[in-house]
Amino acid sequence: MAEQSVGINEHPVPEAACHKGPCGKALFSPLKVGSKTLKNRITMSALTRNRAEGTYPTDIMKEYYVQRAGAGLIVSEGILIVRQGTEWPLAPGLWDDQHVAGWKKITDAVHAAGTHMYAQLWHTGRTAHPDVPEQKLAGTPVYAPSAISARGGKFRQLPGAPGYVTPTEIEDPRIIIKQFKHAAVNAKKAGFDGVELHGANGYLVAQFLDNTSNKRTDQWGGSVENRCRFGLEVLKVLVEVFGPDVGVKLSPCGGYNDVGMPLQDTIETFSYFITEAEKLNIAYFTLVRYTEAFDVTFDGERRATKFNVLETFRPYVKKAKLFLNAGVTPEEGTALVESGKVDAIVIGFNYVTHPDVAQRVYHNIPLNNAPDIKHMQTKGDADWSTGYTDYPAAVA
């Protein structure tokens, strides 16, 4: 599978700035999300940046997030709920007290800088590898709903070009659900304002939802209700910990990490999931719409199912807030918020290269920092600040 070109858990599609006149009053009106009120409707997406030494948050991560505190809501990079051999070296975790202490420094600093922060809780499922050091330390197999390998895969920390392996079927998914709850409890201790369940991009929750990766015949697979059960049960335990301050990210089109269903199956699955999740009184849904950058080609065919995600699923989101992700420009976002089609927009790649996205949009300053592709994934021979915290802000 083609990897993400910049090494982040988000689409690498640059968004334009509003520089042809006044930009979007609607984006700068407050928004109640769960129990918190956001100062604006520009949220920062989860972006894996590979700076957590040994899975533990670092001081430079604190600097990075504080730089971006102009966002109405910051969603942390994907935080692993247990040790996993991911494609992303130096990804952070949240399973022990040292993790809690490290993240607490970050959330305290972000709060002092004037914004809210959610932890994105992440289990990669079958997209891990048994030979990655963290998976060896875990002493567990690579787990997934079914023993079906994803096509593709690239592990930067392993020699050669190993692809994905055939995973071990999870015997009792309730064990993983407990791990999600443990991570949520730690997120609460660490001072996060809420948690976002990573249900997108072909990771574990998406693997349960998708009938191409989930071939179980028990209560966790088969019917739409059964395939949705795992993600919904995870949301339930997150709500037990955080009340209304729980979000979920979904990418119905699939594609990335070798998931995706025919259109009718997709609509039936995600409309049911959203309807049932609504009953839990969660804070928001982030819908990732189709983007070519997250689609992949196998045997000459595109993997994703291309359709209008927002128009299809907007009617099912009634009480929760709705955020849209994937190449949304401030101009488009303004129109979508004004029309009531979305409540906020999610900015991804431009928050890598611009610490002051929201401020630039407010002042009609272009998002024109050139990306340092070489240093987006790992430090190489450079200091970890290179390509991370050294992008210039245009607004003091």
Side-chain angles (χ1 to χ4, degrees), residues 12-13 29 33 38 55 93 97 118 126 128 138 160 209 215 269 287 302 338 349 361 372 385 390:
V13 180
S29 59
V33 176
L38 309 187
T55 76
D97 290 343
Y118 272 39
R126 67 179 183 172
L209 288 170
K215 299 294 185 181
T269 298
L287 293 182
R302 287 282 190 177
E338 287 177 345
F349 183 72
V361 172
D372 181 352
S385 64
D390 59 349

Side-chain angles (χ1 to χ4, degrees), residues 36 65 89 108 116 258 273 295 308 320 331 354 382:
K36 310 298 182 185
Y65 283 114
D108 283 350
H116 299 293
D258 197 15
F273 185 89
D295 202 352
N308 191 321
E331 294 98 333
H354 301 86

Side-chain angles (χ1 to χ4, degrees), residues 174 176-182 184-185 195 231-243 246 280:
R174 287 170 293 193
I176 310 294
I177 293 168
K178 289 179 181 178
Q179 292 170 344
F180 270 104
K181 184 171 184 178
H182 177 71
V185 169
V195 289
L232 292 171
E233 290 299 318
V234 173
L235 284 177
K236 287 177 185 177
V237 300
L238 300 185
V239 169
E240 287 177 12
V241 178
F242 272 96
V246 174
L280 302 176

Side-chain angles (χ1 to χ4, degrees), residues 37-325:
T37 298
L38 309 187
K39 62 187 176 184
N40 63 54
R41 298 175 185 232
I42 297 174
T43 73
M44 174 178 159
S45 185
L47 299 155
T48 295
R49 299 306 314 280
N50 313 98
R51 293 325 196 265
E53 187 71 60
T55 76
Y56 292 103
T58 50
D59 286 341
I60 199 165
M61 289 169 60
K62 179 176 72 173
E63 179 183 353
Y64 170 81
Y65 283 114
V66 168
Q67 286 179 342
R68 287 152 179 80
L73 174 67
I74 292 175
V75 180
S76 78
E77 60 207 278
I79 303 177
L80 301 170
I81 64 169
V82 291
R83 289 191 189 276
Q84 297 160 64
T86 75
E87 294 178 275
W88 310 105
L90 305 173
L94 192 50
W95 57 81
D96 67 25
D97 290 343
Q98 188 177 341
H99 288 121
V100 170
W103 282 114
K104 187 67 164 60
K105 292 179 182 178
I106 293 172
T107 60
D108 283 350
V110 166
H111 291 152
T115 200
H116 299 293
M117 188 171 185
Y118 272 39
Q120 188 190 71
L121 302 184
W122 185 32
H123 193 299
T124 66
R126 67 179 183 172
T127 65
H129 198 285
D131 294 335
V132 170
E134 291 299 336
Q135 194 73 43
K136 289 183 175 180
L137 286 172
T140 58
V142 172
Y143 285 126
S146 299
I148 301 171
S149 175
R151 289 173 289 181
K154 183 175 181 180
F155 294 84
R156 299 166 186 81
Q157 62 272 65
L158 297 179
Y164 296 129
V165 300
T166 301
T168 297
E169 182 173 301
I170 298 169
E171 184 175 347
D172 184 358
R174 287 170 293 193
I175 294 172
I176 310 294
I177 293 168
K178 289 179 181 178
Q179 292 170 344
F180 270 104
K181 184 171 184 178
H182 177 71
V185 169
N186 281 345
K188 190 96 169 180
K189 293 177 182 176
F192 285 99
D193 298 293
V195 289
E196 177 183 279
L197 175 61
H198 196 341
N201 300 352
Y203 296 116
L204 185 63
V205 173
Q207 291 162 27
F208 269 97
L209 288 170
D210 199 289
N211 61 19
T212 70
S213 53
N214 182 352
K215 299 294 185 181
R216 300 176 75 100
T217 57
D218 61 5
Q219 64 176 323
W220 305 98
S223 67
V224 169
E225 293 81 2
N226 284 353
R227 284 184 283 109
C228 290
R229 189 184 310 279
F230 178 79
L232 292 171
E233 290 299 318
V234 173
L235 284 177
K236 287 177 185 177
V237 300
L238 300 185
V239 169
E240 287 177 12
V241 178
F242 272 96
D245 299 314
V246 174
V248 60
K249 181 178 181 180
L250 303 170
S251 54
C253 291
Y256 191 66
N257 282 326
D258 197 15
V259 296
M261 298 177 284
L263 181 58
Q264 190 57 40
D265 290 346
T266 299
I267 293 173
E268 290 176 359
T269 298
F270 285 90
S271 60
Y272 176 82
F273 185 89
I274 292 169
T275 298
E276 294 301 306
E278 273 267 312
K279 296 175 183 177
L280 302 176
N281 296 316
I282 65 173
Y284 69 83
F285 295 90
T286 287
L287 293 182
V288 183
R289 64 184 177 183
Y290 177 84
T291 175
E292 190 171 301
F294 256 35
D295 202 352
V296 291
T297 300
F298 294 115
D299 301 323
E301 294 185 359
R302 287 282 190 177
R303 182 68 177 87
T305 302
K306 188 176 181 179
F307 68 104
N308 191 321
V309 167
L310 179 59
E311 293 296 329
T312 302
F313 297 115
R314 169 75 250 193
Y316 296 97
V317 181
K318 302 181 186 301
K319 295 182 293 183
K321 299 300 187 291
L322 179 60
F323 302 168
L324 185 65
N325 183 215

